[in-house]
Amino acid sequence: MRRSQILTLVGLGTLAGGIAAAVAYLLPWLPQPASREAGRIDFVFWFVTIICIVIFGIVAAALLYSVVKFRAAPDDDSDGPPTHGHTGLEIWWTLIPTLLVTAIGVVSAIVLAKNDRVGKDYLHVNVTAQQFAWNFEYPSGKNMASGVLRVPVNKSLLLTFTSKDVIHSFWVPEWGQKQDTVPGIHPTLHITPDKVGRFPIICTELCGLGHATMRTWAIVMTQAAFDKWLKGTSTATSSPNPAVSGAAVFKNQPCGGCHTLSAAGASAKVGPDLDKLAQYAQQANQPEEDFIRTSITDPNAYVQPGYPKNVMPPFNLPKDQLDALVQYLVQSSKKG
Ligand code: CUA
């Protein structure tokens, strides 16, 4: 091979590899990682991607060069010269991929083992999935329940999943991992959030009519803010003052994800407008308080005309929380 040929090949390879590297690096394929586990997974992705880009550059260079250099004349219908195998080449193109795939396997195994290792001091949260809502219970906060997942930053988080009906899948893109929730078993997921902020929680398993609405938020806070919230909310939800605790229950449950309620600053339009509860109860010909209570515990018993059935899940709240929520909704809808 002449020097000029080698230079052409190297040039073509660098060009092809450069374009592939730019596509990989400059386009936002993945969200910015916000957990230690996602950071490690990102590392594995880049490890594999760089290997792929180098191989792509070599293959593309050989291919482009051959297409131009060994192009047959338009009227040349003759067969090419016969070729035999090349033992030296075959040894190399078996050995190198074997080493690369082994390296990818080893790096992945190390990352998986590290990601599964739960720290000694961790926060345990029980996650319940049902059509079509997430609920989070904090055993360290008197089993206080919330429709939003609030967690402290830089602390091991152990989620234990329960499904009340079908298979759902828990996913926070920035945390980098998914976990199916399967009825009858209780899988766990270990995450160490390392960025403060608000991240979407998405159900990524088609689970029925309301699948697309099965979303909520993970809010990562400083440890001090989290402790204050956990303490404040676990006392607020058992407070004897219905006006205060009803608002807290509304906020901690996923109601605002689907409904409008001016008093709570909620403006979603998936389900009926809770500002109009008095009017709906009249249309249904039921006393307002009973109407609201049934709509929470058995939402499909009566569905406001114009809204789909079987979208809202039944909510089995503790009695004091349910009473407070009903009172809060009665008061809020009259004011609204
Ligand atoms: Cu739950 Cu999709």
Side-chain angles (χ1 to χ4, degrees), residues 130-134 168 207-211 213-214 310-313:
Q130 62 177 313
Q131 291 168 317
F132 299 96
W134 297 101
H168 304 270
C207 55
L209 198 58
H211 162 67
T213 66
M214 193 166 163
N310 299 316
V311 170
M312 175 163 158

Side-chain angles (χ1 to χ4, degrees), residues 3-175:
R3 214 179 117 85
S4 65
Q5 287 175 315
I6 293 175
L7 280 179
T8 311
L9 278 170
V10 170
L12 283 171
T14 311
L15 183 71
I19 292 171
V23 170
Y25 186 72
L26 297 177
L27 297 186
W29 296 104
L30 294 172
Q32 279 298 317
S35 77
R36 281 182 211 158
E37 291 72 23
R40 293 187 196 115
I41 293 169
D42 254 33
F43 173 80
V44 178
F45 275 149
W46 279 114
F47 184 75
V48 176
T49 305
I50 289 168
I51 291 174
C52 291
I53 287 174
V54 172
I55 293 173
F56 174 74
I58 294 169
V59 172
L63 194 70
L64 289 171
Y65 183 82
S66 307
V67 162
V68 176
K69 173 83 180 171
F70 303 112
R71 187 181 175 82
D75 56 350
D76 179 3
D77 290 335
S78 65
D79 289 340
T83 51
H84 293 280
H86 187 298
T87 312
L89 262 183
E90 282 176 17
I91 288 175
W92 283 112
W93 75 41
T94 306
L95 198 64
I96 293 175
T98 305
L99 290 176
L100 290 177
V101 173
T102 308
I104 292 171
V106 169
V107 169
S108 304
I110 292 173
V111 164
L112 281 173
K114 278 192 168 181
N115 278 2
D116 276 348
R117 202 173 299 149
V118 182
K120 262 190 205 137
D121 175 31
Y122 65 89
L123 175 73
H124 185 210
V125 179
N126 287 314
V127 182
T128 306
Q130 62 177 313
Q131 291 168 317
F132 299 96
W134 297 101
N135 198 50
F136 306 95
E137 270 182 22
Y138 295 79
S140 56
K142 302 183 204 160
N143 276 329
M144 199 275 301
S146 170
V148 169
L149 177 60
R150 285 175 192 264
V151 292
V153 72
N154 291 329
K155 185 166 181 175
S156 259
L157 172 65
L158 187 67
L159 303 171
T160 303
F161 295 91
T162 301
S163 170
K164 284 195 180 168
D165 35 48
V166 299
I167 300 176
H168 304 270
S169 186
F170 176 92
W171 186 39
V172 176
E174 288 83 353
W175 287 353

